[in-house]
Amino acid sequence: MTVLLMTPPMTQLNTPYPATAYLTGFLRTQGYEAEQRDPAIELFLEMMTAPALEIMRQHVEQNFEHFEDDELPAVIAQFLREFDRYQVAVEPAIRFLQGKDPSLALRINSRRFLPEGPAFDTIAQMEAVSGDVLQAAFGNLGVQDKAKYLATLFINDLSAVITQGVDPHFEVSRYGEQLAAANPSFDNLYDTLMEEPSFSAEILEQLVEMYLEDTQPSVIALTVPFPGNMLGALRIAQTCKAINPEIPIVMGGGFINTELRALKDPRVFEFVDFICLDDGERPFLTLLEYFAGEREIDDLVRTYFLAADDNGEAYVHFNENPELSDIAQTEVGAPIYDGLPLGDYLSLCEMLNPMHRIWSDGRWNKLTIAHGCYWRKCSFCDVSLDYIGRYDAAGADMLVDRIEQLIEETGETGFHFVDEALPPKLLFAFAKRLIERKVVISWWGNIRFERTFSPARCQLLADSGCIAVSGGLEVASDRLLKLMKKGVSVERVAQVTKAFSDAGILVHAYLMYGFPTQTEQETVDALEMVRQMMQQGCFQSAYWHRFVATVHSPIGKNPEQFGITLAPRPEILFAENDVEFYDPTGTDHDMLGDGLRKAIYNYMHGIGFDQPMSFWFDNKVTRTQMKKDFIARAITNLIDSNEQ
């Protein structure tokens, strides 16, 4: 039995999403023939060619034939005006971003080789404030990085041309996301799938046909990590069924696990046969045993399929079977990347910020230290779901064994640990084992900014190869941090992040606004805390997320405990996640959000620390009540306590 696993478009362009690699490794340990392909990266590369750009131009000209030149979107006008230059530059730019033609950097840096569309406006905007930002960021010797940044802007312009002029569902990191995310109805997705295929969908179909011819699978498995992968997954399934209606198609992944827990629409099963929830190893293994005649259908684990009632009417049935336990982390094995085009991924530089860029720059081996979250208390988090609530870890030696196996297979020593929150005790043991076994890697991952990360332990992690961490400062308000059961204070976060930074580790902070009962005063004070922390070098990168209540979080389940009222929900036939709510506090979070994002963007570029809080907001806001030396004193307290 041959299984073909695929990641639908779109995911990161710089590295494979790890789900198929994990399942491929696990299935091979169980004796199955498992193959994997990444149509996400291959679709993008097929669209970034000179012939594809010619087809794109034809679509653009047809779609905008009744527009006057001054009515065209800026990126479309630029594309048509400079088409010959785009067509000449696109393939060399892609090769450069793949690391295959580094000598092109000097031509790119001339600013005359790549046509420059609206994505390049950001350079002029920053230069208007702080002078030659490219010189400041890259100096005279950062030739490759500077060219990578410029080439990324070029790719962003072409991606915008596709979205605005060719295929509205296409985006670099998502694909038809608005059709799937928290959509209670399957209608939008279904109607799109019934339409004539778009330009990108036609290429995707051709890729899938090639994969099926090459691998001759007896089972197809699709991972759907995000809402933006659902349209691509169903389009792949639709193509597979057109080629071979009898081939079983199985679907799972993060979006499924989070948002399709109340699935009722039978039309989904016109495209797929089985949908699995939560960790995929046990449900998928049980399905393969069922396909082989070794199990009954009632044995399936956490699996949706279509059944018929007594009247012969089709309905969506969910089979739980809690009798069969999940596969332990010690037994899932290491990911295997065989079958993925490791040399074809793109290293991008999307922002002039050293921490922010590592999400899109370089090819990282993705690995998990532990399943679930060891803390699992945060009130905004989906703690009731398996991917958060069930904690299970492998040992330090086993992790190092897997790392050595991956280095041998891929030739890459960069690792991104994709845990919800890396468990400190295991992390310190892991760091010591890396050092003791003289395994040289560079690694980064998500943590909680808790007191156990002392300066000495941060240095231990740095010595083991830790280059960056990310974690949640969230609302940067002690009252609200306590309400959300974060288990940290603003002062503690400042001390921990400073300890990481002093150890030479880059730090990214996840920030949140719009939390239940959050006032304008608390929001402005939070921005002041962030300003001070970034100015003091506690962290180098951050992003403000608008709070969203979800049905699986403590807030979604018990809104009255947080002072809010949930809006009535429609009947759920397809996806369910975000829940609208009423907060009687009445804070204008839309207005505040614009200012927060503007401020953090400038702070990440080292600009605007001397501006008052009011500078960032379009409307008048309250003055901050935080002392200007609050963070400096917190850091001093940390230094004093370490010297005692």
Side-chain angles (χ1 to χ4, degrees):
M1 184 181 294
T2 301
V3 179
L4 174 60
L5 302 108
M6 289 182 274
T7 303
M10 294 298 296
T11 51
Q12 288 175 274
L13 297 178
N14 64 308
T15 198
Y17 191 77
T20 64
Y22 257 112
L23 280 172
T24 297
F26 172 72
L27 291 174
R28 290 185 183 177
T29 66
Q30 303 298 308
Y32 291 96
E33 292 184 23
E35 299 288 340
Q36 59 184 328
R37 298 291 185 269
D38 188 354
I41 184 64
E42 297 201 51
L43 169 64
F44 185 80
L45 294 178
E46 288 289 335
M47 298 178 77
M48 292 293 134
T49 63
L53 258 61
E54 178 59 48
I55 298 173
M56 285 165 49
R57 178 170 71 164
Q58 294 170 15
H59 281 280
V60 168
E61 289 176 340
Q62 181 179 351
N63 292 336
F64 289 95
E65 62 180 338
H66 299 301
F67 284 66
E68 298 294 334
D69 288 348
D70 59 357
E71 296 176 327
L72 293 172
V75 74
I76 299 297
Q78 171 75 5
F79 176 71
L80 294 175
R81 185 169 54 249
E82 299 274 10
F83 176 77
D84 289 344
R85 293 181 65 200
Y86 278 104
Q87 193 173 36
V88 167
V90 63
E91 293 181 24
I94 291 292
R95 286 197 304 273
F96 172 76
L97 290 171
Q98 291 173 325
K100 297 176 180 179
D101 192 1
S103 63
L104 190 65
L106 291 169
R107 287 201 69 187
I108 292 174
N109 290 345
S110 72
R111 303 288 298 272
R112 296 184 179 183
F113 176 64
L114 299 178
E116 299 189 356
F120 288 79
D121 292 348
T122 185
I123 298 175
Q125 291 165 2
M126 288 187 292
E127 287 180 341
V129 177
S130 57
D132 190 345
V133 293
L134 296 182
Q135 178 66 25
F138 303 112
N140 294 324
L141 297 179
V143 175
Q144 295 293 319
D145 283 345
K146 179 179 177 180
K148 191 180 293 185
Y149 175 65
L150 295 171
T152 300
L153 296 178
F154 170 75
I155 294 301
N156 288 345
D157 273 331
L158 282 177
S159 299
V161 169
I162 298 172
T163 304
Q164 296 183 36
V166 181
D167 184 351
H169 300 310
F170 179 88
E171 289 186 60
V172 169
S173 60
R174 49 185 69 90
Y175 189 85
E177 181 180 59
Q178 73 279 7
L179 299 175
N183 192 336
S185 170
F186 188 55
D187 288 349
N188 293 341
L189 268 172
Y190 189 81
D191 291 344
T192 300
L193 290 161
M194 293 299 106
E195 295 171 356
E196 286 295 314
S198 65
F199 172 53
S200 60
E202 289 177 347
I203 297 175
L204 183 60
E205 290 174 359
Q206 294 166 10
L207 289 170
V208 172
E209 290 172 8
M210 180 180 68
Y211 299 152
L212 297 188
E213 180 65 28
D214 289 347
T215 62
Q216 296 294 308
S218 41
V219 180
I220 301 288
L222 303 171
T223 182
V224 187
F226 310 110
N229 298 104
M230 191 63 178
L231 176 60
L234 293 172
R235 187 68 78 182
I236 290 172
Q238 188 180 44
T239 302
C240 292
K241 286 296 186 184
I243 295 170
N244 181 0
E246 302 304 317
I247 193 167
I249 300 177
V250 184
M251 184 182 284
F255 169 70
I256 306 293
N257 302 339
T258 304
E259 301 205 19
L260 296 196
R261 305 191 80 90
L263 179 63
K264 297 182 184 67
D265 196 322
R267 293 177 297 172
V268 178
F269 294 90
E270 294 179 23
F271 307 92
V272 300
D273 300 288
F274 299 92
I275 297 177
C276 301
L277 294 185
D278 301 328
D279 257 20
E281 287 87 358
R282 176 63 73 189
F284 195 49
L285 185 61
T286 310
L287 265 170
L288 294 178
E289 292 166 348
Y290 166 69
F291 296 150
E294 299 168 5
R295 286 191 181 275
E296 299 298 322
I297 198 166
D298 290 342
D299 293 331
L300 298 183
V301 176
R302 298 192 303 273
T303 302
Y304 287 110
F305 54 87
L306 211 56
D309 61 20
D310 294 339
N311 298 320
E313 292 290 326
Y315 72 97
V316 178
H317 176 74
F318 182 69
N319 213 71
E320 180 107 25
N321 192 8
E323 309 261 323
L324 287 177
S325 61
D326 279 297
I327 308 295
Q329 282 291 295
T330 53
E331 299 175 19
V332 297
I336 289 178
Y337 287 91
D338 173 42
L340 302 178
L342 297 184
D344 291 344
Y345 291 88
L346 280 61
S347 284
L348 305 174
C349 179
E350 296 182 321
M351 181 178 284
L352 302 180
N353 180 283
M355 173 66 203
H356 203 82
R357 66 178 291 181
I358 67 174
W359 269 275
S360 59
D361 189 12
R363 208 203 66 71
W364 303 96
N365 293 318
K366 291 182 182 282
L367 200 60
T368 304
I369 285 183
H371 178 282
C373 177
Y374 70 94
W375 177 253
R376 55 189 182 278
K377 294 179 183 178
C378 297
S379 60
F380 58 83
C381 196
D382 292 339
V383 295
S384 64
L385 297 185
D386 177 83
Y387 80 97
I388 297 289
R390 182 173 62 82
Y391 179 72
D392 178 30
D397 275 305
M398 181 172 288
L399 289 168
V400 180
D401 290 343
R402 291 174 180 174
I403 282 171
E404 290 183 319
Q405 181 181 332
L406 280 168
I407 293 173
E408 183 177 356
E409 181 195 357
T410 67
E412 301 279 358
T413 60
F415 286 81
H416 177 198
F417 296 111
V418 293
D419 302 55
E420 295 301 320
L422 294 168
K425 184 177 180 181
L426 178 55
L427 198 58
F428 301 141
F430 165 68
K432 290 176 182 177
R433 295 304 290 144
L434 283 173
I435 296 169
E436 291 166 359
R437 291 172 58 171
K438 297 181 171 59
V439 177
V440 178
I441 65 171
S442 302
W443 62 268
W444 60 292
N446 200 48
I447 65 162
R448 297 183 65 255
F449 295 131
E450 57 182 66
R451 65 184 305 160
T452 189
F453 290 108
S454 65
R457 285 172 171 159
C458 290
Q459 190 59 56
L460 168 68
L461 298 182
D463 293 342
S464 75
C466 180
I467 58 168
V469 294
S470 55
L473 171 57
E474 316 303 356
V475 286
S477 156
D478 285 341
R479 179 185 79 84
L480 295 173
L481 287 169
K482 184 176 181 180
L483 181 62
M484 64 172 56
K485 299 182 180 178
K486 188 68 183 178
V488 298
S489 66
V490 174
E491 182 179 47
R492 178 62 62 189
V493 171
Q495 293 169 343
V496 170
T497 53
K498 183 62 174 172
F500 274 110
S501 290
D502 286 348
I505 296 171
L506 296 169
V507 182
H508 175 86
Y510 297 111
L511 305 171
M512 181 187 298
Y513 69 100
F515 194 77
T517 71
Q518 185 175 15
T519 64
E520 179 181 298
Q521 183 70 63
E522 287 171 323
T523 307
V524 173
D525 288 347
L527 180 58
E528 171 62 16
M529 291 293 88
V530 169
R531 184 194 69 81
Q532 291 185 30
M533 287 189 201
M534 296 192 77
Q535 191 171 36
Q536 291 287 333
C538 295
F539 50 85
Q540 297 73 41
S541 173
Y543 187 81
W544 290 99
H545 300 260
R546 175 73 178 263
F547 167 77
V548 174
T550 64
V551 293
H552 309 297
S553 68
I555 292 176
K557 292 181 176 295
N558 302 289
E560 67 284 350
Q561 296 179 10
F562 300 88
I564 62 172
T565 304
L566 299 186
R569 283 183 267 174
E571 180 184 10
I572 305 300
L573 299 177
F574 182 58
E576 180 185 37
N577 191 42
D578 304 354
V579 187
E580 294 186 8
F581 63 91
Y582 168 70
D583 184 345
T585 308
T587 305
D588 186 353
H589 296 299
D590 290 334
M591 180 274 293
L592 292 170
D594 291 339
L596 295 174
R597 287 186 291 272
K598 189 188 306 180
I600 204 68
Y601 182 84
N602 282 273
Y603 294 164
M604 284 196 292
H605 289 91
I607 301 169
F609 288 119
D610 295 332
Q611 296 292 348
M613 295 296 98
S614 59
F615 174 80
W616 306 110
F617 301 96
D618 293 334
N619 297 349
K620 184 178 180 180
V621 295
T622 184
R623 295 172 60 89
T624 181
Q625 295 181 351
M626 304 307 301
K627 294 181 178 180
K628 296 296 182 182
D629 63 346
F630 181 91
I631 297 300
R633 286 189 292 108
I635 294 170
T636 301
N637 291 340
L638 172 66
I639 295 172
D640 291 343
S641 66
N642 288 326
E643 291 177 348
Q644 293 174 358

